[in-house]
Amino acid sequence: MAPSRARSGAGAALPVVVALLLLLAVVAAAAGGGRKMASHGEGANLKAAPGAPAAGGEAEQFRGKARLPSFAAPRRYELSLRPDLVACTFSGSVAISVAVSAPTRFLVLNALDLTVNRASILFQALAPTEVVFFKDDGVLVLGFAKQLPLGEGVLKMDFDGILNDQMRGFYRSKYQFKGKEKNMAVTQFESVDARRCFPCWDEPAFKAKFKLTLEVPSQLVALSNMPVANATFAGPIKTVRYHESPPMSTYLVAIVVGIFEYVEGMTSKGTRVRVYTQIGNSNQGKFALDVGVKSLNFYKDYFDTPYPLPKLDMIAIPDFAAGAMENYGLVTYREVALLFDEKSSSASSKQNIAITVAHELAHQWFGNLVTMEWWTHLWLNEGFATWMSHLAVDSFFPQWNIWTQFLDSTTTALRLDSLEASHPIEVEIHHASEVDQIFDAISYDKGASVIRMLQSYLGAERFQKAMASYMKKYAYSNAKTEDLWAVLEKETGEPVKDLMTTWTKQKGYPVINAKIKGNDIEIEQAQFLLDGSSGPGTWIVPITSGCGAPGVQKKLLKLERDKLVISSQCGDRKKGGNFWTKLNINGTGFYRIKYDDELAAALQNALETKKLSLMDKIGIVDDVYALSIARQQTFASLLRLLYGYRGEADYSVLSHINTVTTSIAKISVDATPALAGDIKQLLIKILLSPAEKLGWDPKKGESHLDVMLRPVLLTALVHLGHGKTINEGVRRFNIFTHDRNTPLLPPDTRKAAYLAVMQNVSSSNRSGYDVLRKIYKESAEGEERLQVLGILCSCLDKGIVLESMNLIFTNEVRNQDAYIVLKGILPEAREISWNWLKENWERISKTFSTSSRVADFVKTIVPLFTSNEKAVEISNFFATRTKPGFERTLKQNLENVRISARWAEGIKSEPGLAQTVRELLDKP
């Protein structure tokens, strides 16, 4: 979202006389039918007459700062915009009520990629004597001849810009209407791109009211945050005026202009909710509408605070960089994140839509009503919205067992946070170009996981009551993390700040070493790192322990060491098999457990005798998997544990097992090539039984989770080279190519069949590939198109892999979907993809100019490698090619390469591994 910015010099400081010259120039340009526009990538275009003084002087004090100065702040914006959807330009004017609170002769705000009419700039009756633009900061400094009067005044200016194609700021998105390609105008301002649409104080803390006016072609629908107040028509143009908004941050302002239709619903309190789609697709918005209405009702009750606006619109955008964006009252989505078709969409798509809608609507309270004070506190937005979305969806669809699935988010965060290159939840942001990097699994998934841990520690009822108090106290304003802790402490009487500061202000988490001694378990914490080292961190850890019986023991581990008393309910050690106990019950804690041999053996027995909860099954295998990577437990012990899951039937557990087996299959090829085939057969043995039980065909009355599990298992077996599954996938695909409505290949299992076809594709045998390309081009279903796109690189033929990767440079693939092409690359094709990346790096950097899009290429290709030599090569290549927006991403992925190399070395030298694999294969 937030772009990287090339550094440049300041704009020129212009004397008042130049304003008159520029005004004449603007008039002359208008008379000639043209308008001076900023070319893409420019900053505020302010040209000086010959002899104008250079920028500098006192204005330099505002260059390179993390934040804007606080001596002046906006209170209200009157913003008028006139987008031209044919020329792909826009013009605008803004009048900002600014409160000057301290002596100054400057106003400092944000602007980027705009041509500002120098002559139009006035604060009250004062014209600036200096206009200085720092492009690398996106900052516009207005200097006046004398100090500004304290109190409120109005800053006015006119500006022009380009409706860009970069999915940020005010941009254009292409769609089809009556067989013709059209442009719609869309905004995407989070995190720091409102400044690309209009000059503003583009920071979360500068909340203000917004009064918007749009001038658009009469036949178009024009949406914004607030309802329409009135509209007037003048020939082909209509002027649409919107009601004034409550105070909000600039990143939440939203505008969408195009041709749409909608479905509509109403909340229990009478709030109108609509889902807008392209013409003919409105039926696909009904499921999201239902979830949206339920979400607003749910959050109103949970926070004991009504939804603040008179309406809520949700709209599907064809070109959209993120999954969705929580703009106040006008939430924008990728089409696949909002639209659901009962006949052509998968069960996983339905669930993803529910989670995404619930996430964005949680933001209407946590983020929009109460907003983070600065990007350091981003997790208050994203962590809470992630946690709240699961709470809401669990209420709507309890049969989905969504909290067990939530552990996927926790384990994702645990993996990232066990890197030295991780970052704290509260991460210092020193420049706008750094913000984009923290929209990651730490802010979202670790944030949500520590919230779950805290709620579990405090209790659901106390936690909810405190959240309602927090929402009321900070409504329409901003808050820091410390503000939340203070409310929680006041409401619960617990030492929340001391506890949670250890989780938000330092990166990482502990592994709890558990050793049995008499009737006690001795516990000791140490920071866990995947590279096998131990970091310096210590935490206040909410420890839970139990053995499936009613009642869970709870203890706050405040020191490095402590002990737990083994409950008498957990069996008698002296009698053998019936004794077991587990720490971190249901994975509510954000930490790992390393058990001694006796405790580990007892847990393996509890697993095989079906005594563990689903969540605990996931927690155990993920801990052993991570400990194996860190070489703190053997690879053989991981395989033996996995074998205990061979009779498992639950979606969440097997989905997680699949993640682990995929990693094992990949590393074994490099670590022990001679044994890799046997290891794959072992993994097939673990997954085959539940796959055969489900089969390819859906069964009447089967659960949502079984429908989701089927493609996970079939796809896994295809990846592992299971011949029978591959052949059946190809057979069904061949029937599907002649009858797209065949029941033999419903939406849920198509990816597995597509992947099976790609196993036999080569440059000399490309018929299956060509058919898949044809399906991609002809399909009107976004989900199916993405399924095809994601497997086109999933073969070993160099020519096909290169042809597929090069599709991202064609009109066949939208920029937002480019990374999906790369996700299908197999480890065997990593050298092909790495060479392609090097050869095309300059083109990629220009085509995908936002740092997050460029980072996607690094995240998909770099981790395919498992050698220190390759890590050095990659590091050397990027030494002169990094951008501020993806430096952290590169460091994290290079660290993962080195960790994989170390893991492979450990597996290679592990004694007795081949014997363990053979024993497990030979077991009945």
Side-chain angles (χ1 to χ4, degrees):
M1 288 189 279
S4 60
R5 296 180 177 83
R7 299 189 67 84
S8 71
L14 305 182
V16 176
V17 67
V18 178
L20 299 174
L21 294 172
L22 272 176
L23 179 59
L24 291 172
V26 170
V27 171
R35 183 184 290 274
K36 177 62 183 172
M37 303 301 300
S39 61
H40 185 75
E42 282 190 301
N45 189 358
L46 296 154
K47 294 194 175 180
E58 291 181 61
E60 281 291 326
Q61 66 185 295
F62 305 114
R63 182 197 283 271
K65 302 296 184 183
R67 302 178 66 167
L68 296 174
S70 59
F71 50 64
R75 293 290 180 260
R76 183 175 185 270
Y77 291 81
E78 285 196 22
L79 174 62
S80 178
L81 292 169
R82 297 167 291 280
D84 185 332
L85 296 175
V86 177
C88 295
T89 60
F90 66 91
S91 58
S93 60
V94 66
I96 312 171
S97 297
V98 180
V100 180
S101 57
T104 181
R105 69 177 192 89
F106 291 100
L107 292 177
V108 185
L109 63 161
N110 297 110
L112 191 64
D113 290 355
L114 297 173
T115 299
V116 176
N117 180 352
R118 169 67 176 81
S120 70
I121 304 174
L122 286 175
F123 180 66
Q124 301 295 69
L126 301 174
T129 55
E130 297 174 76
V131 178
V132 183
F133 177 68
F134 298 123
K135 182 180 177 183
D136 49 342
D137 304 318
V139 166
L140 181 62
V141 180
L142 307 177
F144 296 85
K146 58 182 181 180
Q147 284 197 352
L148 303 176
L150 298 180
E152 280 199 25
V154 177
L155 173 66
K156 296 181 178 180
M157 66 184 80
D158 300 334
F159 52 91
D160 301 294
I162 289 177
L163 290 174
N164 67 74
D165 61 355
Q166 295 298 315
M167 298 180 287
R168 60 181 176 179
F170 201 12
Y171 72 93
R172 63 186 185 267
S173 176
K174 294 180 180 179
Y175 66 108
Q176 293 289 322
F177 178 66
K178 293 183 177 179
K180 293 184 179 180
E181 188 173 80
K182 300 280 187 180
N183 289 320
M184 66 175 72
V186 186
T187 55
Q188 170 57 43
F189 290 163
E190 189 176 31
S191 51
V192 290
D193 289 319
R195 65 193 67 182
R196 296 177 186 272
C197 180
F198 60 99
C200 58
W201 275 257
D202 198 13
E203 293 180 5
F206 288 115
K207 282 192 166 184
K209 296 178 179 180
F210 285 82
K211 185 86 167 61
L212 266 66
T213 300
L214 296 178
E215 292 182 26
V216 300
S218 298
Q219 75 276 16
L220 300 185
V221 176
L223 303 173
S224 188
N225 306 84
M226 298 297 289
V228 173
N230 61 73
T232 56
F233 293 81
I237 299 297
K238 65 179 176 181
T239 300
V240 185
R241 299 172 186 86
Y242 300 87
H243 286 287
E244 185 170 277
S245 76
M248 64 180 183
S249 303
T250 50
Y251 77 88
L252 295 169
V253 176
I255 296 162
V256 181
V257 181
I259 301 173
F260 311 108
E261 63 182 24
Y262 64 84
V263 288
E264 180 176 290
M266 203 77 72
T267 69
S268 60
K269 292 297 183 181
T271 302
R272 190 200 77 204
V273 182
R274 287 178 177 174
V275 174
Y276 283 86
T277 71
Q278 292 183 49
I279 302 298
N281 291 342
S282 58
N283 278 342
Q284 296 179 31
K286 289 182 177 178
F287 176 69
L289 175 65
D290 179 59
V291 174
V293 170
K294 288 177 178 175
S295 295
L296 291 187
N297 291 332
F298 179 86
Y299 296 137
K300 169 186 64 68
D301 292 340
Y302 188 87
F303 294 121
D304 193 26
T305 301
Y307 173 66
L309 302 185
K311 63 92 174 175
L312 173 75
D313 295 329
M314 301 188 285
I315 185 165
I317 307 297
D319 298 283
F320 199 76
M325 176 60 208
E326 67 268 19
N327 313 300
Y328 224 172
L330 176 55
V331 184
T332 44
Y333 296 80
R334 278 195 185 203
E335 291 180 323
V336 294
L338 188 69
L339 305 183
F340 177 78
D341 188 295
E342 290 287 350
K343 294 181 179 179
S344 61
S345 298
S346 66
S348 59
S349 175
K350 185 175 189 177
Q351 183 177 293
N352 180 60
I353 290 168
I355 289 284
T356 305
V357 169
H359 179 107
E360 301 310 321
L361 300 199
H363 276 308
Q364 305 302 304
W365 283 263
F366 238 111
N368 299 8
L369 181 62
V370 179
T371 309
M372 61 197 168
E373 191 274 338
W374 178 238
W375 297 107
T376 292
H377 309 283
L378 173 67
W379 84 281
L380 286 178
N381 282 19
E382 301 302 349
F384 265 93
T386 300
W387 182 79
M388 287 297 306
S389 67
H390 286 76
L391 191 70
V393 170
D394 185 56
S395 171
F396 310 152
F397 306 101
Q399 70 276 21
W400 290 2
N401 208 0
I402 207 71
W403 281 116
T404 304
Q405 295 187 54
F406 175 80
L407 291 185
D408 273 346
S409 299
T410 299
T411 55
T412 297
L414 286 166
R415 278 192 283 280
L416 178 56
D417 208 27
S418 55
L419 301 180
E420 180 59 40
S422 182
H423 64 82
I425 285 178
E426 294 183 69
V427 59
E428 290 299 318
I429 298 295
H430 303 292
H431 195 274
S433 63
E434 299 174 6
V435 177
D436 204 32
Q437 296 183 84
I438 63 169
F439 283 80
D440 62 5
I442 301 301
S443 296
Y444 285 73
D445 299 329
K446 182 180 180 181
S449 297
V450 299
I451 292 163
R452 178 173 177 251
M453 179 171 67
L454 178 60
Q455 189 230 24
S456 176
Y457 172 70
L458 295 176
E461 189 175 334
R462 287 203 297 173
F463 187 79
Q464 180 179 355
K465 183 181 177 183
M467 287 299 97
S469 296
Y470 171 80
M471 200 59 59
K472 289 180 176 68
K473 182 173 182 178
Y474 291 100
Y476 300 108
S477 62
N478 298 85
K480 299 178 180 180
T481 301
E482 292 78 8
D483 298 323
L484 175 62
W485 301 155
V487 172
L488 282 162
E489 284 198 351
K490 181 180 178 182
E491 293 291 338
T492 66
E494 297 284 352
V496 175
K497 182 180 179 182
D498 289 345
L499 165 63
M500 295 307 293
T501 295
T502 66
W503 295 95
T504 64
K505 288 191 178 294
Q506 63 178 336
K507 66 184 177 183
Y509 59 87
V511 57
I512 306 298
N513 291 283
K515 299 179 181 179
I516 199 160
K517 189 171 184 180
N519 291 321
D520 297 333
I521 296 177
E522 294 181 343
I523 54 175
E524 180 179 358
Q525 66 164 302
Q527 184 175 350
F528 179 76
L529 291 166
L530 274 177
D531 65 6
S533 64
S534 181
T538 55
W539 289 260
I540 298 177
V541 188
I543 299 289
T544 55
S545 62
C547 50
V552 172
Q553 288 191 65
K554 294 185 177 182
K555 187 183 190 76
L556 272 186
L557 175 61
K558 297 180 179 179
L559 304 173
E560 188 177 335
R561 297 178 185 84
D562 207 330
K563 62 182 179 180
L564 303 170
V565 177
I566 300 173
S567 170
S568 59
Q569 296 175 309
C570 293
D572 190 340
R573 290 174 61 204
K574 298 175 182 177
K575 293 183 180 179
N578 69 334
F579 165 77
W580 67 278
T581 191
K582 184 185 179 297
L583 277 61
N584 195 13
I585 302 300
N586 289 330
T588 55
F590 194 78
Y591 51 89
R592 298 197 182 279
I593 307 293
K594 182 182 179 183
Y595 298 95
D596 68 11
D597 291 344
E598 182 179 347
L599 290 169
L603 272 176
Q604 176 101 22
N605 183 63
L607 169 69
E608 295 183 357
T609 53
K610 305 189 184 306
K611 294 177 180 177
L612 298 179
S613 70
L614 297 176
M615 290 182 179
D616 283 339
K617 288 179 182 179
I618 293 171
I620 288 170
V621 74
D622 197 70
D623 285 349
V624 174
Y625 169 53
L627 290 164
S628 174
I629 294 174
R631 290 171 60 173
Q632 294 184 25
Q633 287 193 204
T634 64
F635 190 61
S637 68
L638 173 60
L639 295 178
R640 280 193 293 269
L641 177 64
L642 279 172
Y643 193 78
Y645 290 81
R646 65 195 178 282
E648 184 56 58
D650 177 75
Y651 164 77
S652 296
V653 177
L654 284 171
S655 179
H656 197 80
I657 294 297
N658 175 51
T659 300
V660 177
T661 57
T662 300
S663 176
I664 287 172
K666 173 192 165 188
I667 198 70
S668 63
V669 172
D670 290 323
T672 173
L675 204 54
D678 285 346
I679 289 174
K680 280 190 175 183
Q681 290 306 307
L682 176 59
L683 300 178
I684 288 171
K685 185 178 179 182
I686 293 167
L687 298 174
L688 189 57
S689 176
E692 289 181 335
K693 183 178 178 182
L694 287 173
W696 279 84
D697 298 308
K699 297 173 178 61
K700 188 175 181 179
E702 67 184 350
S703 71
H704 166 81
L705 293 176
D706 279 349
V707 176
M708 293 221 302
L709 177 58
R710 181 176 289 109
V712 169
L713 294 175
L714 293 175
T715 302
L717 290 173
V718 172
H719 271 303
L720 290 169
H722 185 242
K724 185 177 178 182
T725 305
I726 292 171
N727 292 339
E728 182 62 13
V730 172
R731 183 185 79 83
R732 289 172 182 258
F733 176 79
N734 289 334
I735 295 171
F736 174 72
T737 59
H738 295 99
D739 177 11
R740 298 286 176 87
N741 295 314
T742 177
L744 288 176
L745 206 58
D748 291 285
T749 53
R750 284 177 194 167
K751 181 180 177 182
Y754 296 164
L755 188 64
V757 170
M758 287 301 299
Q759 305 311 294
N760 299 316
V761 162
S762 67
S763 296
S764 59
N765 179 29
R766 55 178 293 144
S767 59
Y769 178 78
D770 291 335
V771 172
L772 284 167
R773 289 278 298 277
K774 187 170 185 285
I775 292 171
Y776 173 77
K777 290 177 183 177
E778 293 177 352
S779 177
E781 304 300 328
E783 183 184 1
E784 181 171 57
R785 286 168 59 84
L786 294 184
Q787 283 185 338
V788 174
L789 209 57
I791 55 88
L792 291 180
C793 284
S794 297
C795 75
L796 303 181
D797 186 275
K798 179 179 180 179
I800 295 293
V801 172
L802 289 174
E803 182 178 341
S804 299
M805 289 193 292
N806 284 325
L807 287 175
I808 70 168
F809 299 124
T810 70
N811 291 331
E812 202 169 318
V813 178
R814 292 181 185 265
N815 280 2
Q816 67 180 20
D817 299 329
Y819 77 99
I820 293 171
V821 179
L822 306 180
K823 285 175 73 173
I825 297 170
L826 302 175
E828 293 86 348
R830 58 195 175 190
E831 286 293 346
I832 299 169
S833 61
W834 169 237
N835 289 330
W836 172 87
L837 184 66
K838 289 188 293 184
E839 291 166 8
N840 289 282
W841 184 252
E842 295 304 320
R843 187 177 183 184
I844 289 167
S845 297
K846 290 176 182 176
T847 305
F848 307 92
S849 59
T850 63
S851 56
S852 59
R853 298 277 73 81
V854 174
D856 286 336
F857 291 85
V858 174
K859 286 189 282 190
T860 49
I861 292 176
V862 171
L864 295 170
F865 293 98
T866 59
S867 76
N868 289 316
E869 294 76 16
K870 186 59 68 172
V872 171
E873 180 189 331
I874 294 169
S875 181
N876 289 340
F877 175 79
F878 282 112
T880 57
R881 295 176 174 87
T882 54
K883 294 183 177 183
F886 75 91
E887 285 176 343
R888 181 177 278 120
T889 299
L890 179 62
K891 286 180 181 178
Q892 290 167 349
N893 282 278
L894 285 171
E895 186 176 350
N896 272 322
V897 173
R898 290 188 286 268
I899 287 167
S900 294
R902 183 176 179 273
W903 189 25
E905 289 167 3
I907 295 169
K908 193 178 300 183
S909 60
E910 187 174 314
L913 179 59
Q915 182 180 345
T916 298
V917 173
R918 280 193 296 272
E919 287 174 359
L920 294 174
L921 276 173
D922 291 342
K923 275 190 173 185

